Amino acid sequence: MIETFGIKLICSKNSCLSPVVCLVVSVSCRLCLVVSCRLCLSPVCLLSSVCLLLSVCLLSSVCLLSSVSVPSTGEVVFCSASTVLKYTQDDLSQRGVFGVLLCTNFRVSFVSDEAPTEEMGQLFKNKLYGENDIPLSCVDNIYGGSEDKRKLITGGLVKNKYPSKMIIHCKDLRVFQFSLSFSKEEDAKKIFQGIVHHCLEPKSLRCLFAFSYCENTSYPEAQRKKQTVMFDSVEDWTQDMKRTKGNCRVVSENSNFELSPKLPQYFIVPKNVSDEDLTKYQGKGLPMWCWSHHSGCALFKTASIPLVQEDNVPQTYMEKMLTAVAHNHLYSVKTEDLSDTLPTVQDILLSYNRFKQFFLIDNTTEFWMSDMKWFSSLDNCGWLDIIRQCLQKAVEVVESLEKENTNVLIMEEGGSDLCCVVSSLVQLMLDPYYRTLLGFQSLVQKEWVAGGHAFLDRSNHLHLKDKVESQSPVFLLFLECVWQLQQQHGPAFQFSETYLTVLSDSIHVPVFTTFLFNNDGHRDSLLRAESPHTQRSPLNCPTVWDWSVQFDCKAQDLFTNPLYTEKPKQDTSVRKSYRPRHLRQLSLPSSAFKTPPKKGFFKDEADNLKKILGVKRLSRWMLSPSSDSPQTSSSVREFYEAWQTKPLDYHGLLLPCLDGPSIRVWMQRYLRWIHDVQILGGGPVAMLSKVSEILGEVQELQRQLDRHGCTLTSNHKGARPRAKTAAAVIAARSSVRLSSSFPFVTSRNWSFKPAIPTSLLQSLMVTGMAGNLADREDDGGPESLV
Amino acid sequence: MENTGSIDSLGSKRSSSRQPSVDSLSSTSTSRSDRSAHAAKPTFAMSSDNVSISTDFSPELRGRPKAVAKVLRDSKEEPQLLPKESVQDMAKDVTYICPYIGALRGTLTVTNYRLFFKCMDREPAFVLDLPLGVVSRVEKIGGASSRGDVSYGLVCKDIRNLRFAHKQMEDSLRKSIFEILMKCAFPVSNGLTIFAFEYGQVYPENGWKVYDAQAEYKRQGLPNESWRITKVNDHYELCDTYPSTLVVPVNIPDEELKRVAAFRAKGRIPVLSWIHPESQATVIRCSQPMVGVNGKRSKDDEKYLQTIMDANAQSHKLFIFDARPSVNAAANKMKGGGYESEDAYQNAELVFLDIHNIHVMRESLRKLKEVVYPNIEESHWFSNLESTHWLEHIKLILAGALRIADKVESGKTSVVVHCSDGWDRTAQLTSLAMVMLDGHYRTIRGFQVLLEKEWLSFGHRFQLRIGHGDKNHTDADRSPVFLQFIDCVWQMTRQFPAAFEFNEYFLITILDHLYSCLFGTFMCNSEQQRVKEELPKKTVSLWAYINSQPEEFTNPLYVNYSNHVLFPVVSMRHLELWVGYYIRWNPRMRPQEPVHQRYKELLAKRAELQKRVEELQREVTNRSASSSSERAGSPTRSITPVQTFV
């Protein structure tokens, strides 16, 4: 299917001077010419005229690679191998499917020799990559296997012996197993080396697929503008502050990154921050406004300034900033150093790495073995506990804002990891706007993208050795927390679980500008530099919010939650823009004046701020607080219980329950690919489809009513417009045929064969809990009658 | 939870779902009193699917309220009484030490049915209201303290403990209310009558008629050419723990059945429980064969099983599922029992399902209670849960039932299921397999039939396992076998939210009345005893109560895919602790608003819209009759943005 031509060209890059292998692939009738250097495997640029010439020459011998599911423009194939066996994941037998394994600048792709099965699973097809494609940045680990052993491949040249089996663990938790032993040795070597090289070796940002993709895709910019608020203009920030009735200062002096490339292009600071303050310490210590509570108090975040013992300057500066924050509302402020109280980014990574192993299942036996210690393994990896800690911290901040009406300043080194997690969670809990789909996307834009979360470093797409330390799934942690909230208060969220899962997958699709950069300045400089039209606008790449890049409309219907309780509109006359009114239906009475705060976790500066500022040294209250006092959790507990006794308002304050059984595993994300745990005919989709169905009917009826209302003469029996909701999508297919992995796994492999667990009793026997009880007879005493 | 029972005062149905489940037995009763004060409309709080409030006194449970008198009394400290319920004692200034709120001072009332505590100091009043049947043990804790307080602890069967304290009686001749309580809570031990025999409420339906063995077998297509209904056990002579109606192979005459009975423990011969409508593969239940140490054989038993296999033409094999771990099965040989050897039973394959005995289960539940009541330790929740092994046992039971169902459905093979006596684990396995295989048992009435058939008529010893009215709380015969079964069903409803006609509240109601001693349903150990005690005549069936208001127990999401087999996933990943039952007393774990709630709103909205559309249509037809020529151009034109939600 793929022809390799021994056309001798000289690889000029890296002066490796080896013959170049030229591949020509036709993808859905679009020709693209691929040239790659056999040894260094870097793509070689050819003059376009040469390309043209070559392509004309080779056209006759080109085979159509029509079954490759994708289309992406700008995609080039680096290497390939045929007769590769892809094992079917769900059993230990060596069965599988033969096909071609390709490595392109976008993905590792397996193209089955068998005719593609046209299935109804096509509904939720990702336009960018198919079920047998792995975007390069989505590759987590590669293992080389021979016989029964497997070895982690860390990159570099594999010497002499190439493993016959390649196992790829993906960041979206898929597991692929390929056997290379049926391919030509040359091909096998090449593909193995190629995949390892492109997935694990350091590369430059320029090599990420986004750049080739965007250069080759004309992308209409206009349409995205009217959706998600991008927070890339003064207006967006001003608008959001107005919406929350904040009273701070919008800073636009950094619009061309004159102040600092590390500071956001636009941001908001307390009114009392002066111009000189803006540039000190490269923006460290500068309180950035996140959100204003209706009482007037607000949430700020900042990157903490490392304290130097002798030097008083940062301390004076910090004191000044704190005063500025305090002045925002009623001279009260609480500070919270997240570095002291939440796990570090390294802890998060370590914990997640342990956690994910439970789901990267190579075979059934392994799965059922791990099933026995499932609960204690969950505890041991600590991932759920980290989620709980983040939620708890957010609840503490919410309590300060909501109950005590103090300003809150959260800080950490860098100010763009856990600060983002906590501040976004606080806003989700307090502000119903952020629980809408567009609101949520705006929140991510505001806190994470504009807020300067180092997406590139945290994901380490580039596999830079010096960035290994900074890798950490912080954004995923945030999505996990959102999922917990959503799980507990379903009807409050307009977006669905599927939406969150897809969003978590999209982090690893290197197409979207959203996740490719470390901050505004970074993005700006790169996009500008890479622009084909240097003089004009910067390179125009899609953001992840352009869901049409990945999914068609029907699939996008699954992003909305059919259970969402929409706020009844008060006035239908004025069509509001995308921002609904800042809804204030608080379930707790907020005091007009400040209540004396409890002794809590926060160091409380409110009561005698002047005294503190005058007398106390900054270092005093920048010290880490006496660690987790039981008082904290009891205070949070009281706050939760007080909230709980009030009637629940989905458009008011939402708090998560943090007790053991309430924090759960995100089943859809983690279990979707594991065959043995797919509930056929069941799972949440069984319920949602029913709900969607009724919702569709209700909408249809409403429509009829409206029609009748408008034109009483119209005949309702005319052609009815179909309700185009998720309802239609799911209800179209009998829910009996769906599984708990819907919509990610198609029911192609539908079988009535249940998964029977192996090795059941072992754990019970090992623990010896049964003791002599187990040996006793069922029935002891004499029978007694009533 | 200070505002227990504020459901109605808040006036909002939606908010009611967030009402505390702590002491929720009481919360309903308060709301009930509010309700009866407002109107006679007995609609339950919608939320009730998740909150347990079954042992309560919804107006249907009691007699027709004498409106005025009742309303007056509600503000007082006594409970509303059921028909034939009478106050035994009442004490003021009793302190209830609530593990969540703290000490509460109020009035304690003991009747022949319930314990009722009301604290008027709080707004709204705090009420604790539980049937005495729930009490497993009453004990005096310590001696009199310096302040002269005496403390009593009540251990309950429904995963909670209650603690009371009151002043030492000055008049030492007078009995303390707790002594009265100890008497009333254990009527069997004290020669009193269980309240179920006095409760005289009349319901529209006689719940005892829900199950008719003949009708149920007829539904399954029995008798047929291979299976007959035998009258051999009409007077419980063949087996006193079996029902009178039994289905056996056509070719085996009653005389041979008696010889088979001699070889099976307690005479519990293999009989048909369920037959596959298409493949004719059957689920057979029995007790262990009396093999003994010497490996005794019975030609009759061997022939009998062969006949069972032959009755299914689709398969030349028979699977015998022994619920026990093989070690225990082997140990049973010492006592004359054992298991079928594959040598003796040709074409039979024996599989051990490794489910532990009633003692292990009891111990596991005890540990579980320690972990979940009163408070949950946050940090090691999962490890603590794992250490109870409760979910592991659930997994094993479900896995066993799954294998049985799989053999019958996918393998088209008949299966024989037994444990030792065939009334605990066997009942769990056959009934769960039948829930998986037959959609009828997933309906409200079908499930009642299933319980009546597999559990009650086949002699699961409820009296012994629960210990109704018996003070001997250490009795080794007590075990949560039935609770485990209901838990397994709940796990299945979690995995298949649209496949069951009943909701969680239905399951919780069954469990609450398992202990309450209000209904006769779970009294006695066998059908024979129930007949002898004339339960259908003297008591009310739980099904009468449930079927009088089925809407409370209906899962609105139910899709009837009746001929669809359900295979649950029995991985720990998909099993979870039933918070709505085991942790329902903890106010923090109050269930979030269930989807059902939202769904019901949608259904109501739909009904309302349908009505309006119909009205409009009528109007339209009227008008178009007068001016038929006019038509709107495009029907889609006037579509306005969808605005559906309530």
Side-chain angles (χ1 to χ4, degrees), chain A residues 19 324 345 380 399 542 677 683 714:
Chain A
V345 288
N380 294 339
E399 186 184 4
V677 286
S714 80

CSV table of all heavy atoms in Angstrom, one decimal, chain A residues 19 324 345 380 399 542 677 683 714:
chain,number,residue,atom,x,y,z
A,19,PRO,N,21.2,8.3,2.3
A,19,PRO,CA,20.2,8.3,1.3
A,19,PRO,C,18.8,8.5,2.0
A,19,PRO,O,18.6,8.1,3.1
A,19,PRO,CB,20.2,6.9,0.7
A,19,PRO,CG,21.4,6.2,1.3
A,19,PRO,CD,21.9,7.0,2.5
A,324,ALA,N,-3.2,46.6,49.5
A,324,ALA,CA,-4.0,46.9,48.3
A,324,ALA,C,-5.2,45.9,48.2
A,324,ALA,O,-6.3,46.3,47.9
A,324,ALA,CB,-3.1,46.8,47.1
A,345,VAL,N,3.6,19.8,42.6
A,345,VAL,CA,3.3,19.2,41.3
A,345,VAL,C,4.0,17.8,41.2
A,345,VAL,O,3.5,17.0,40.4
A,345,VAL,CB,3.8,20.2,40.2
A,345,VAL,CG1,2.8,21.3,40.1
A,345,VAL,CG2,5.2,20.6,40.3
A,380,ASN,N,-3.8,3.7,48.4
A,380,ASN,CA,-2.4,3.8,48.5
A,380,ASN,C,-1.8,4.8,47.5
A,380,ASN,O,-0.8,5.4,47.7
A,380,ASN,CB,-1.7,2.4,48.3
A,380,ASN,CG,-2.1,1.5,49.4
A,380,ASN,OD1,-2.4,1.9,50.5
A,380,ASN,ND2,-2.0,0.2,49.2
A,399,GLU,N,-15.7,29.5,51.7
A,399,GLU,CA,-16.2,29.9,53.0
A,399,GLU,C,-15.8,31.3,53.4
A,399,GLU,O,-16.6,32.1,53.8
A,399,GLU,CB,-15.8,28.9,54.1
A,399,GLU,CG,-16.4,29.1,55.4
A,399,GLU,CD,-15.9,28.2,56.5
A,399,GLU,OE1,-14.9,27.4,56.3
A,399,GLU,OE2,-16.4,28.3,57.7
A,542,PRO,N,-6.4,26.6,15.6
A,542,PRO,CA,-7.6,26.5,16.4
A,542,PRO,C,-7.4,26.3,17.9
A,542,PRO,O,-6.3,25.8,18.3
A,542,PRO,CB,-8.2,25.2,15.8
A,542,PRO,CG,-7.0,24.4,15.3
A,542,PRO,CD,-6.0,25.4,14.9
A,677,VAL,N,-14.8,-4.7,31.9
A,677,VAL,CA,-15.7,-3.9,32.8
A,677,VAL,C,-16.7,-3.1,32.1
A,677,VAL,O,-17.4,-2.2,32.6
A,677,VAL,CB,-14.9,-2.9,33.7
A,677,VAL,CG1,-14.2,-3.7,34.9
A,677,VAL,CG2,-13.9,-2.1,33.0
A,683,GLY,N,-24.9,1.0,32.4
A,683,GLY,CA,-24.1,2.1,32.6
A,683,GLY,C,-25.0,3.4,32.5
A,683,GLY,O,-26.2,3.3,32.2
A,714,SER,N,-51.9,27.2,12.1
A,714,SER,CA,-51.0,26.2,11.6
A,714,SER,C,-51.4,24.8,12.0
A,714,SER,O,-52.0,24.6,13.0
A,714,SER,CB,-49.5,26.4,12.1
A,714,SER,OG,-49.4,25.9,13.3
